[in-house]
Every structure is written in structure tokens, then in C-alpha cells.
Amino acid sequence: MTVTAGGEPQSGARRGPRAHLAHVLGLLDRPLTSYYLVIGCTLLLLALGLTMVLSASSVNQLKSTGSAFTLLQKQATWVAIGLPLMAVTAMLPPRFFRVAAYPILLLSVLALALVLVPGLGQNVNGATRWLSFGGGIQLQPSEPAKLGLVLWGADLLARKDKLRMLNDWRQLLIPLLPGSGLLVLLVMLGNDLGTTLIVFTIFLALLWVIGAPARLFVGMTGLVVLLTAILIVVEPYRMNRLTGFLDPTGDPLGAGYQSNQGLYMLGSGGLFGTGLGEGRAKWEYLPHGDTDFIFAVLGEELGLVGTLIVLGLFGLLAYAGLRVARRVRDPFMRLAATGVTAWVVVQAIVNIGAVINVLPITGIPLPLVSYGGSALIPTLIGLGVLLSFAKREPGARQALAARGPGPAARALSWLGLGRSR
């Protein structure tokens, strides 16, 4: 070790804990931190999701189709479609998203209306969420509707902010409240409580970012709670879920069965889990283990360590999204970044909360991890929007220019689609 004449270590020598902490904080303050965090967390969650989809579905798929890899192959196909879409989306300018918001929202509303037409909508577990196109191809219109609401609401409020119209509380709500209310109504008519909560979350996140008065924000939150309570009371199966949540041991083979099984799986995993593929949940003990309750399968096979890794990845994703929202200067980007972050992170919280029995079961998937292309692809596009904004943080353009074009940019340039600088 190199020392000075007085015996003190020089700057290049071993660092103490404070120096290490300062070094880590310095890394977090770099221009492209948000960009790399979003990419890294997304890829790790996708890889983990593919692994757990295979593990959770292998027994049922082997029994029903003769191959343990059926759902894995489908999910890998959705990932192979979604990742390039995310990469292309990350290269688009914010003005594209502002223009695209309106057709995305309009098409989503039309598709949600079609779901309610008898013979077109598919009912699964009490909720009419799906449009079937034959050949096993299905679409859940409420998923792209989340993206449409984020972009449309952000553009609407950004335009009003530019015109200095947001001093009046009515301008905060009109037409944002009727537009969000229409989406909520269509989703509610399909008996999809989980998606209804996420749409409400996006609406409240937009109000919070734009600086809605506390009384208005509290009033809207109270309205959300009231409508949620109504949704639960009017549907017997939701009341059964609520009863099972409040008293999981009261009906262990009925309303409380899925919740109890999820907790058993988490508890049996211990610290490091039973090992990949060694869990018992897949042997038809846990319903929907590859979708709504995939976190329980993960906890059983990867243990507490695995669940904490997933929580950490979503925590980093939340940090990255809010960092983008804080650092960008454009109101539209700030609003949309917060909306996308609230959508993905709150959905993860609701899903995990249901598995660990601190929230009632709502039937929504764990983003990027659960099986399903209808949820996965809009989520990846939303994260691509976040990446596009992250590249517009202060100093990010210069850092990217110094790094050189990435593979996606080179491919688009080779095809003659690259954007000239």
C-alpha cells in the first residue's frame, strides 16, 4: 500500500466504508443511471419470469399437451416480440407519444366495448376481459388501455399547463375525469377489479404530479375507495375473496384455499428455497401458479432470497422511473414517466400483496414475470417510453453520443430508418 510521509494512505489506496458509499452514490448520479437501471431490471425480471413460467407450468402442460415447455415457448415468443418493440419505442421522440396517445386510447375503448358484446368477449374466472381471434390468439384490451390513459392524460395536462389553465381545479378534472371514468366503467362492466384499481392509480398519479390541491386529491381517493367497495359488494365471488382474505382459516378448502396455499408455498421455501423445479406448488396444489400466484412459486423454489431480489428489482425500477420524472424538464415527460412507473410498480405491489395475504386477491399478473402476452407487450412498450425519456435527462444525450450507437440504432440505420443527428 502506498503511503505518504506522514503514514496516511494516498487516494488510490484502500477505501473505507464512507468512501465506498460515496462511490456508489456517485454512480447513481450519472446521467444514464435511469436508462441502465430500467434496462437491467427489465431484462432480469424477464429472465426470472421465463424460468418461473417453465417451472410453474411444466406439470400441467405435460399432462394436457404432452410437453412441459408449451407455455415457456409461448412466453418466449411474446418476449421476442416485446423486446424489439421496447427498443424501437426507446428511440422515438416524445412528440410521437403525444400524437399516438389518442389513437391508442380510442382503439382501446372500442376494444373494451367489443369485449362486452355477447359472443365476442371471453369470460375467465368471473371477469370478461378477453377478445378471442381464434387459433388460441386472445387480446386483453384493458392492458393497452393503461398505456393509452398514461399518454393521453399526460398530454392533456401538459397542454393545459402550458396555457396556464391548471389554476382552476375544474381544468384538472375535465376532460381527464370523464375519460378515465369511461375506461373505468368499461373495465368494471367486464368485472375486472384489478385493472380498475390500476386505472384509478394512473389517474391519481397524474393528479399528484400536476400538483392537485390536497382536498381534491383526498376527495378523488375517497371516490376510488367507495367505487372499489361497491364493486366488491355487488359481486358474490369478490365478497368470497374478501371473506377469504379477512378470515383465511374460516373456509380453508373454499374461499381461503388459494391464499392459504400461496402462504404455505412461501413458508416452505425457507431462506434459499427448495431449488428450481423442486417445488410442490406445480403439482396442482396452487391455482394459477404461472400467472396471478407466480410469486408464491418463486418464493417456494428460490426462498426468501429470491423474493427479496424481485422486490429489489421493482424497487430499483420505481427509483429509476421517479428519477426520470424528477430530472426531465418537459411537463409531458414528467407526467408520463410518473404514470408508467405508478402503473408497473403499483401493479406489482397489488399482486405481491395478494400472494402474501396483506391485500385481497384481485387477479392481476406480476409485471414482466407472470405468463401472458397481452400484459407483457404493453408493459414493455411503456418501459420503452420510459427509456426514451431517460435519454433526455440532463447530460444523457452527451453520454450516449460518447458511447456510440447501440445495436438497435445500428440496425435501424442499416435499414435506412435511423434518425439523422
Side-chain angles (χ1 to χ4, degrees):
M1 180 175 66
T2 307
V3 297
T4 62
E8 295 295 327
Q10 291 183 345
S11 58
R14 184 184 303 169
R15 292 187 248 182
R18 290 185 180 180
H20 281 293
L21 179 61
H23 178 67
V24 171
L25 293 176
L27 291 176
L28 291 177
D29 198 41
R30 291 185 177 181
L32 291 176
T33 295
S34 306
Y35 183 80
Y36 288 126
L37 279 177
V38 173
I39 291 176
C41 291
T42 299
L43 293 178
L44 288 172
L45 286 168
L46 284 174
L48 194 58
L50 287 171
T51 304
M52 299 318 302
V53 165
L54 171 61
S55 182
S57 66
S58 57
V59 172
N60 283 334
Q61 292 304 308
L62 184 62
K63 180 180 177 181
S64 60
T65 69
S67 171
F69 302 96
T70 303
L71 285 195
L72 173 66
Q73 292 170 347
K74 291 181 179 179
Q75 187 73 351
T77 301
W78 295 124
V79 171
I81 294 171
L83 280 178
L85 287 176
M86 183 179 78
V88 171
T89 304
M91 300 181 65
L92 297 173
R95 64 179 178 275
F96 175 87
F97 306 127
R98 302 187 73 159
V99 172
Y102 295 84
I104 292 174
L105 188 66
L106 178 60
L107 290 173
S108 298
V109 168
L110 292 175
L112 283 169
L114 288 176
V115 167
L116 303 176
V117 177
L120 293 179
Q122 301 291 314
N123 187 292
V124 179
N125 298 321
T128 307
R129 310 178 183 181
W130 303 88
L131 277 177
S132 179
F133 299 97
I137 300 175
Q138 293 180 322
L139 171 68
Q140 189 174 350
S142 58
E143 294 299 332
K146 298 172 188 175
L147 177 63
L149 177 60
V150 168
L151 298 179
W152 173 74
D155 178 66
L156 178 70
L157 292 176
R159 291 178 187 275
K160 291 193 172 189
D161 182 59
K162 185 176 181 180
L163 297 173
R164 302 188 182 279
M165 299 172 61
L166 296 180
N167 294 326
D168 183 353
W169 66 269
R170 288 168 294 189
Q171 294 294 338
L172 285 168
L173 297 181
I174 299 172
L176 179 62
L177 181 59
S180 303
L182 177 60
L183 279 183
V184 167
L185 176 63
L186 291 171
V187 175
M188 284 170 56
L189 290 174
N191 293 325
D192 188 354
L193 176 60
T195 301
T196 301
L197 292 175
I198 302 303
V199 172
F200 276 136
T201 297
I202 294 170
F203 171 70
L204 291 175
L206 293 173
L207 287 184
W208 175 66
V209 174
I210 208 63
R215 286 180 298 176
L216 178 62
F217 193 80
V218 172
M220 289 296 103
T221 304
L223 178 62
V224 168
V225 173
L226 176 62
L227 290 175
T228 302
I230 293 173
L231 278 174
I232 293 173
V233 170
V234 298
E235 281 291 340
Y237 83 92
R238 289 202 191 103
M239 282 299 297
N240 287 336
R241 284 181 174 181
L242 182 60
T243 303
F245 165 70
L246 295 175
D247 185 16
T249 60
D251 187 11
L253 297 180
Y257 178 77
Q258 187 178 26
S259 179
N260 287 331
Q261 288 298 318
L263 290 175
Y264 294 154
M265 296 305 112
L266 286 170
S268 63
L271 185 60
F272 297 105
T274 58
L276 280 174
E278 299 297 326
R280 290 169 291 179
K282 67 187 70 175
W283 295 91
E284 300 185 351
Y285 287 105
L286 180 67
H288 309 295
D290 51 6
T291 52
D292 305 346
F293 268 64
I294 199 167
F295 188 75
V297 180
L298 186 147
E300 182 188 19
E301 298 191 355
L302 299 182
L304 177 64
V305 172
T307 60
L308 290 178
I309 288 173
V310 171
L311 291 174
L313 289 173
F314 279 112
L316 286 173
L317 201 55
Y319 168 78
L322 294 178
R323 184 179 187 270
V324 172
R326 180 176 60 86
R327 288 168 60 89
V328 293
R329 298 185 178 93
D330 181 61
F332 168 75
M333 290 193 285
R334 185 169 67 249
L335 285 158
T338 305
V340 170
T341 305
W343 157 25
V344 175
V345 174
V346 172
Q347 183 166 321
I349 291 172
V350 172
N351 176 275
I352 294 171
V355 173
I356 63 177
N357 205 32
V358 298
L359 292 173
I361 297 172
T362 56
I364 61 174
L366 184 60
L368 304 174
V369 180
S370 293
Y371 170 76
S374 287
L376 179 64
I377 289 181
T379 301
L380 287 174
I381 293 174
L383 292 171
V385 172
L386 206 56
L387 287 173
S388 173
F389 299 161
K391 293 195 294 185
R392 286 160 176 83
E393 290 184 31
R397 284 184 176 276
Q398 294 82 350
L400 284 170
R403 189 197 64 174
R410 289 195 294 269
L412 288 176
S413 176
W414 181 76
L415 291 171
L417 301 174
R419 200 172 35 153
S420 58
R421 294 184 179 272

